[in-house]
Every structure is written in structure tokens, then in C-alpha cells.
């Protein structure tokens, strides 16, 4: 049972139930997961349904509603991160014959918000809107490596099993050592950790301070990338992420003024 306090948090807790693994919920399932009484739950459900955040297929089944789609459309048009990234994504995907992604870091989640691909049917299994693994792949390490030390250590403690990868790192010490190297180099590399056969190279994107807000990643067939090409890819991703960060800096200054 989830513990929440104010009515706003209680309403948001309902929306947080919906995931890719479980996109439909019955009122009974919601009450079991959240501990709400029936009158309270139905009051919140009416509020969310009237606002378009939920839709009822029947009285027994709820899904996310059309307002979510509308907000996603607006986000694609208004998010400075997406605007600053799109040209870089297209160029990187074409140059290295793979897919390029911008992945947002929020709370403790990684979510792809924009992408481009040189292939009509890309091999990546993480399209826009689908959460990515917290402890797997170059995208994750490019962000976690730049978190404040205390936050980084706590995150790894709480999700250690996700960060331990066979033949890569076997305990917390090795995980932290690997992240220190990523921070020194400004770029992370992973082979087949998220999608078998794909090489991923990622670098953090910043806005106002030294805490990353996103990660830029290029993935491509690892058999097509020799050591020389890998070095070119690492430098290209690192350079593009720095340019995107520079483009976002004026927005951060404007907000803090």
C-alpha cells in the first residue's frame, strides 16, 4: 500500500499506477494498491476523468486519457531540450548509421523524450515515452556518474542489483570506480547491456548547474564500430552534449532572474 498525504499527492499517486506493464486498472485494484476508501477513490477518479487525464473503458476499467496525449504534443513543441537536441540527433544517427536519443532524468527515472534513426526499423527497444533501465547501459552511467556523491551512493545502495553487470562490475566498489572513470572522460560506453548486439555511447546534458538533466546517446551495431570509429563516436557524442548544454544555459538564466 502506498503512503501519500495531501489530496494533490493522492491524485498523482493514481496516475503513477499506470505503467507499460499495467496500462489498465480497475477501481478495486487501485484501492488495493493505494489503500483509498471507495468514496475517496471515486471522487478522485471523477476529477481525473473530467479533466481528461483518465478515461473509462467501462465502469470497471480505467486508462490514461486524451489530456495526456495533448500534453505530450505540447511538450514536443515547447521543451527547449528537445528543440536544442533534434538537429544533433539527426546528424549523429546518420553519421554513425544507428539511433540517437535524448533521455530525460527525473525523480529516479530515465525516459526517452526524443530520438532519430538512420534505419526504418531501428533495433532499439526503447522508443519515446518508454522508461529505460536505471542501472543498465551508457545512458544510465552518463547521468549517475555526475550526480552529487551522496545521491550517487544512495542510489546505488538502493538499486545495487541493477548496477551489477556480469563481466563489467560485480560489487558497489567496482560500480563506483566505473562511474568515476565516466566522470573523468565525460562519456560512457556500454556493449549489449540494454539491447544485445548494440553499442551505446552516452554523455550528460546540463542546464543550470553540475547536475545532469538528461543524457545524449547513440546506439549502433557493435560489429560496425572498430576502435578508431569508437573514438570518433565518443568525441562526437561528447561534443554534441556540450553544445546542447550551452544552448540550454540561457533558459536557465532566464528562469533564475
Amino acid at each position: 500500500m502506498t503512503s501519500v498525504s495531501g489530496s494533490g499527492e493522492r491524485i498523482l499517486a493514481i496516475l503513477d499506477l499506470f505503467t507499460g506493464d499495467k496500462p489498465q486498472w480497475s477501481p478495486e485494484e487501485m484501492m488495493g494498491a493505494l489503500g483509498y476508501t471507495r468514496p475517496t477513490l471515486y471522487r478522485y477518479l471523477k476529477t481525473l476523468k473530467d479533466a481528461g487525464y483518465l478515461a473509462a473503458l467501462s465502469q470497471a476499467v480505467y486508462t490514461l486519457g486524451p489530456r495526456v496525449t495533448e500534453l505530450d504534443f505540447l511538450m514536443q513543441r515547447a521543451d527547449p531540450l528537445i528543440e536544442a537536441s533534434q538537429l544533433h540527433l539527426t546528424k549523429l544517427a546518420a553519421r554513425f548509421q544507428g539511433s540517437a536519443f535524448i533521455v530525460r532524468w527525473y525523480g529516479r527515472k530515465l525516459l526517452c523524450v526524443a530520438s532519430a534513426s538512420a534505419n526504418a526499423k531501428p533495433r532499439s527497444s526503447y522508443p519515446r515515452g518508454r522508461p529505460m533501465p536505471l542501472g543498465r547501459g551508457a545512458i544510465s552511467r552518463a547521468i549517475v556518474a555526475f550526480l552529487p556523491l551522496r545521491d550517487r551512493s544512495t542510489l546505488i545502495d538502493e538499486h545495487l542489483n541493477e548496477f551489477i553487470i556480469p563481466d563489467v562490475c560485480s560489487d558497489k566498489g567496482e560500480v563506483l570506480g566505473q562511474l568515476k572513470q565516466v566522470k573523468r572522460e565525460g562519456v560512457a560506453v556500454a556493449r549489449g547491456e540494454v539491447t544485445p548486439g548494440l553499442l551505446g555511447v552516452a554523455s550528460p546534458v546540463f542546464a543550470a548547474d553540475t547536475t545532469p538533466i538528461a543524457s545524449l546517446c547513440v546506439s549502433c551495431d557493435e560489429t560496425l564500430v572498430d576502435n578508431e570509429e569508437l573514438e570518433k563516436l565518443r568525441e562526437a557524442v561528447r561534443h554534441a552534449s556540450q553544445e546542447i548544454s550551452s544552448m540550454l544555459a540561457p533558459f536557465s538564466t532566464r528562469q533564475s532572474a
Side-chain angles (χ1 to χ4, degrees):
M1 184 173 74
T2 302
S3 175
V4 289
S5 52
S7 60
E9 292 176 341
R10 290 164 70 86
I11 288 177
L12 289 175
I14 295 174
L15 295 177
D16 282 342
L17 292 174
F18 294 85
T19 66
D21 293 330
K22 188 166 176 54
Q24 300 178 358
W25 285 77
S26 70
E28 287 71 23
E29 289 172 328
M30 294 181 193
M31 286 186 287
L34 299 172
Y36 298 171
T37 63
R38 187 174 296 273
T40 296
L41 176 67
Y42 275 91
R43 184 170 70 251
Y44 293 153
L45 289 178
K46 183 179 186 305
T47 297
L48 289 168
K49 183 179 176 183
D50 289 347
Y53 290 101
L54 289 182
L57 300 180
S58 68
Q59 288 301 316
V61 179
Y62 284 81
T63 66
L64 293 176
R67 178 60 175 160
V68 177
T69 304
E70 183 181 6
L71 289 175
D72 181 65
F73 171 76
L74 293 174
M75 174 185 150
Q76 292 184 63
R77 292 173 60 90
D79 187 351
L81 174 62
I82 295 176
E83 182 179 3
S85 304
Q86 202 61 65
L87 182 59
H88 290 286
L89 296 177
T90 301
K91 287 183 175 180
L92 287 168
R95 178 180 174 184
F96 294 100
Q97 288 300 295
S99 297
F101 310 89
I102 279 289
V103 179
R104 271 276 193 184
W105 169 251
Y106 75 103
R108 290 193 172 183
K109 292 184 179 180
L110 295 164
L111 190 76
C112 178
V113 295
S115 65
S117 180
N119 306 308
K121 295 182 179 180
R123 291 178 58 190
S124 170
S125 57
Y126 288 89
R128 170 181 166 80
R130 184 175 178 184
M132 292 186 168
L134 180 60
R136 289 284 189 274
I139 290 171
S140 169
R141 289 200 285 278
I143 289 177
V144 176
F146 287 85
L147 296 179
L149 180 58
R150 180 178 298 179
D151 294 344
R152 187 191 321 156
S153 182
T154 300
L155 183 67
I156 293 170
D157 282 337
E158 295 177 355
H159 301 275
L160 184 57
N161 289 339
E162 298 178 52
F163 283 93
I164 291 178
I165 304 167
D167 302 323
V168 178
C169 46
S170 59
D171 56 34
K172 182 180 178 180
E174 291 186 355
V175 173
L176 289 173
Q178 186 182 61
L179 293 174
K180 287 180 180 179
Q181 180 179 351
V182 170
K183 190 170 184 179
R184 284 195 304 270
E185 298 177 352
V187 64
V189 178
R191 297 178 182 274
E193 293 179 21
V194 176
T195 303
L198 288 187
L199 169 77
V201 176
S203 191
V205 174
F206 303 91
D209 53 30
T210 57
T211 301
I213 63 167
S215 180
L216 168 67
C217 180
V218 172
S219 67
C220 48
D221 189 333
E222 62 179 328
T223 63
L224 302 179
V225 182
D226 58 19
N227 290 337
E228 181 179 351
E229 188 71 0
L230 176 57
E231 194 53 42
K232 292 178 182 178
L233 176 55
R234 285 164 53 95
E235 181 55 34
V237 170
R238 184 165 44 214
H239 178 71
S241 68
Q242 291 170 349
E243 288 205 347
I244 294 168
S245 298
S246 296
M247 293 174 70
L248 295 177
F251 290 95
S252 302
T253 303
R254 188 183 311 163
Q255 290 176 357
S256 61

